[in-house]
Amino acid sequence: MKEFDTICAISTSLGIGGISIIRISGPKALSIIKKIFKDKDGKEVNELKNYNLKYGYIYKLNSDEVLDEVLVSFMKGPKSYTGEDVIEINAHGGAFITNRILEETILSGARLAERGEFTKRAFLNGRIDLIKSEAVNDIINAETDSSAKAAIYQSKGIISDKIKVLREKILLLTANIEATVDYPEEDLEEVTAYDGIKKITELSVEINNMIASFKEGKIIREGLNVVIIGKPNVGKSSLLNSLLQENRAIVTEIPGTTRDIIEEHINLDGILVKLTDTAGIRDTDDVIEKIGVERSKERILESDLIILVFDRSSQLSNEDLEIIESIKDKNFIVLLNKSDLNEDKINIENIPELKGKKIINISAKFGEGIENLKEEIKNMFFSNNIEVSAKGITNLRHKEALIRAEESLNAAIDTLKNVSAVDLASIDLKNAYISLGEITGESTSEDIINKIFENFCLGK
């Protein structure tokens, strides 16, 4: 356990609501609450039972002025969230009264917590590892069922347990190598270069499988950036409205109606899809529309998937061909819109950049083909079902550490192949061990730890 000062913060969203919670954590938590809390009869409270709620009133410090009627709970360390004594004041919701109670806790000896400091203390006190700490923030920020599930899986230790097992295997192999080298006179089982390569390769395969899971895991955690593009008046805004099932974008027959990008989110069977409806890409002398076109091109570069919309009732124009050329190296789906017009004039068969691309006929106006589009998006990005993908690696920091660990293991294999000096491979194995420890926080620098918790809210 580490020694810290006592902190406090509002742990619920600040605004009008039924309840607000002010959290206090640290060695002075009990003494602070006794200064400002009295029971229903106005008597000072000398003792609070562990994991019990006590009804009473919060008073202004050194005064008989009542601030609010509250319930106070006490969680004694080390069996609390932070590992310290924790007090939670359940007050009536409302920004004014919540802030007044917070002020009294500060005047009574606490200081305002930094972002994520409660969870940071839980980590530093050994209550949770760094993976579980990050999962707490992911749960708070989850926007879909799948992203929430992925965060909960990590908070339960699914990834932590895998990393722990890998580190134990690496440590055991390293110990065996060093023992056979340092104590040749002892009757120990010798680790040969062949044995080392075999065992390290098995470890490398396990790590590589975890790295491979990140492609889908990242999408579950962060969502898909999908950009709708095409020349003016092909039905991009109608498509956006159809996907959202509401009239979000203005739709007219006038080309260039959408002059700026429009962003909206949809939940696609548990996957967050960030939709961007762009200004029609074309050469224009209109200053405002030109800015919109440039912004559209920027979003294309940042996208995970492009939905390229054509009007199937018209032949391809030079503008269409220029758009195809500009995205030929990107990931895209082709939609042939306005199937309700029963006119098929478009000529895309001989366009080499469209060979092998998924082409879907739709009517954005009437919603025809939209379900086919949604199904294709899922098929493009998920080889497994989403439930399985949610149990993989979702955090870029974890992936990068895994890559470093895999590189160290591969270096160990090369050493054994080229030199056959088993003892030299132990250096690379130790590096892999350290890299994996960075994921759980067992060998992570203070700067990285601080950076992680800076992204948390104040009360968590």
Side-chain angles (χ1 to χ4, degrees):
M1 297 295 294
K2 295 183 180 293
E3 291 294 329
F4 296 108
D5 52 0
T6 301
I7 56 173
C8 63
I10 299 166
S11 291
T12 47
S13 296
L14 195 58
I16 304 300
I19 295 173
S20 288
I21 297 176
I22 298 91
R23 178 180 286 169
I24 310 169
S25 179
K28 295 181 180 179
L30 266 176
S31 63
I32 287 171
I33 195 64
K34 289 177 181 179
K35 292 178 182 179
I36 58 175
F37 175 66
K38 295 180 181 179
D39 66 16
K40 59 185 177 65
D41 298 319
K43 296 179 180 178
E44 293 183 2
V45 177
N46 293 319
E47 184 180 0
L48 288 172
K49 292 183 179 179
N50 195 19
Y51 289 100
N52 274 262
L53 286 170
K54 181 74 174 178
Y55 169 72
Y57 297 88
I58 293 292
Y59 286 75
K60 186 177 179 180
L61 183 65
N62 300 323
S63 169
D64 292 330
E65 181 184 340
V66 174
L67 297 181
D68 195 16
E69 181 183 25
V70 300
L71 289 171
V72 170
S73 62
F74 171 51
M75 289 150 278
K76 185 173 179 58
K79 294 184 178 180
S80 67
Y81 180 71
T82 62
E84 307 169 322
D85 286 354
V86 173
I87 294 287
E88 288 188 351
I89 304 169
N90 294 260
H92 289 98
F96 176 76
I97 196 64
T98 304
N99 276 311
R100 284 290 292 110
I101 295 173
L102 181 66
E103 287 173 13
E104 294 306 311
T105 63
I106 293 172
L107 290 172
S108 300
R111 69 163 172 81
L112 189 63
E114 298 173 357
R115 285 182 174 273
E117 191 169 0
F118 292 97
T119 305
K120 184 178 180 179
R121 290 190 178 195
F123 164 69
L124 293 174
N125 286 327
R127 295 288 292 166
I128 54 178
D129 65 21
L130 205 51
I131 297 176
K132 293 177 182 179
S133 300
E134 290 167 307
V136 170
N137 201 33
D138 288 345
I139 291 171
I140 293 170
N141 293 312
E143 296 187 57
T144 66
D145 182 56
S146 294
S147 59
K149 281 182 178 178
I152 290 169
Y153 286 139
Q154 299 213 8
S155 72
K156 291 169 69 176
I158 287 179
I159 302 299
S160 298
D161 291 344
K162 288 181 180 179
I163 298 298
K164 182 180 179 181
V165 170
L166 284 169
R167 294 189 89 216
E168 287 175 350
K169 288 180 179 179
I170 292 172
L171 188 61
L172 180 61
L173 180 57
T174 306
N176 287 341
I177 289 173
E178 294 185 345
T180 57
V181 173
D182 294 341
Y183 305 101
E185 70 281 359
E186 299 292 334
D187 187 20
L188 299 173
E189 183 180 351
E190 184 180 358
V191 179
T192 65
Y194 174 80
D195 294 331
I197 290 171
K198 182 181 177 182
K199 291 177 180 179
I200 295 170
T201 300
E202 291 172 355
L203 290 168
S204 182
V205 169
E206 288 186 59
I207 290 176
N208 192 55
N209 288 337
M210 294 180 74
I211 293 170
S213 71
F214 176 74
K215 182 179 179 182
E216 296 177 2
K218 177 179 180 290
I219 294 170
I220 289 174
R221 183 176 186 248
E222 300 177 8
L224 270 174
N225 286 314
V226 178
V227 178
I228 304 169
I229 71 168
K231 69 181 184 183
N233 214 32
V234 294
K236 300 186 299 300
S237 296
S238 296
L239 173 62
L240 178 70
N241 290 340
S242 186
L243 287 167
L244 294 173
Q245 296 185 330
E246 63 176 90
N247 292 324
R248 171 64 178 86
I250 299 172
V251 178
T252 74
E253 298 296 324
I254 303 170
T257 300
T258 303
R259 295 189 170 199
D260 199 357
I261 57 174
I262 299 174
E263 295 182 325
E264 288 291 341
H265 293 176
I266 63 169
N267 186 336
L268 180 58
D269 290 348
I271 301 301
L272 177 68
V273 177
K274 304 169 187 177
L275 287 170
T276 301
D277 177 23
T278 62
I281 298 176
R282 64 169 179 173
D283 291 327
T284 176
D285 294 326
D286 187 298
V287 175
I288 296 175
E289 189 179 357
K290 186 178 290 186
I291 294 172
V293 170
E294 288 304 312
R295 288 182 178 177
S296 298
K297 291 178 179 177
E298 289 173 4
R299 290 307 172 94
I300 289 171
L301 294 174
E302 299 168 358
S303 66
D304 297 308
L305 174 66
I306 295 168
I307 298 177
L308 175 56
V309 185
F310 293 130
D311 179 354
R312 64 175 301 202
S313 66
S314 303
Q315 293 186 355
L316 286 182
S317 65
N318 289 331
E319 286 179 340
D320 290 317
L321 296 175
E322 289 173 5
I323 293 171
I324 294 171
E325 178 64 25
S326 69
I327 65 166
K328 64 181 181 181
D329 297 323
K330 297 287 290 182
N331 197 21
F332 66 92
I333 296 175
V334 177
L335 298 189
L336 305 183
N337 190 29
K338 304 185 182 181
S339 61
D340 52 292
L341 298 180
N342 294 318
E343 295 183 45
D344 190 7
K345 297 180 181 179
I346 196 162
N347 49 332
I348 61 172
E349 294 80 9
N350 298 320
I351 308 297
E353 291 85 357
L354 301 184
K355 295 292 183 182
K357 294 296 181 182
K358 185 67 178 181
I359 298 173
I360 303 173
N361 286 288
I362 69 161
S363 170
K365 183 177 180 180
F366 295 103
E368 296 172 6
I370 299 300
E371 290 305 314
N372 292 339
L373 171 62
K374 291 179 179 179
E375 196 64 31
E376 182 58 29
I377 292 174
K378 285 189 293 181
N379 292 338
M380 288 180 72
F381 290 93
F382 291 94
S383 56
N384 299 308
N385 64 57
I386 294 173
E387 184 78 17
V388 172
S389 299
K391 296 180 181 180
I393 297 295
T394 63
N395 190 306
L396 179 59
R397 187 184 72 83
H398 304 169
K399 179 192 174 186
E400 290 173 344
L402 285 166
I403 289 173
R404 289 194 295 274
E406 186 183 33
E407 289 172 348
S408 295
L409 292 181
N410 290 335
I413 291 172
D414 289 340
T415 298
L416 293 173
K417 284 180 178 178
N418 300 326
V419 182
S420 293
V422 178
D423 56 325
L424 294 178
S426 66
I427 298 172
D428 295 312
L429 288 174
K430 288 177 181 177
N431 289 334
Y433 182 81
I434 291 169
S435 293
L436 293 178
E438 291 176 3
I439 299 175
T440 56
E442 292 170 90
S443 55
T444 304
S445 71
E446 186 176 347
D447 288 342
I448 292 175
I449 292 171
N450 290 337
K451 190 69 177 176
I452 289 169
F453 289 104
E454 282 176 3
N455 297 320
F456 280 59
C457 56
L458 281 174
K460 194 60 179 174

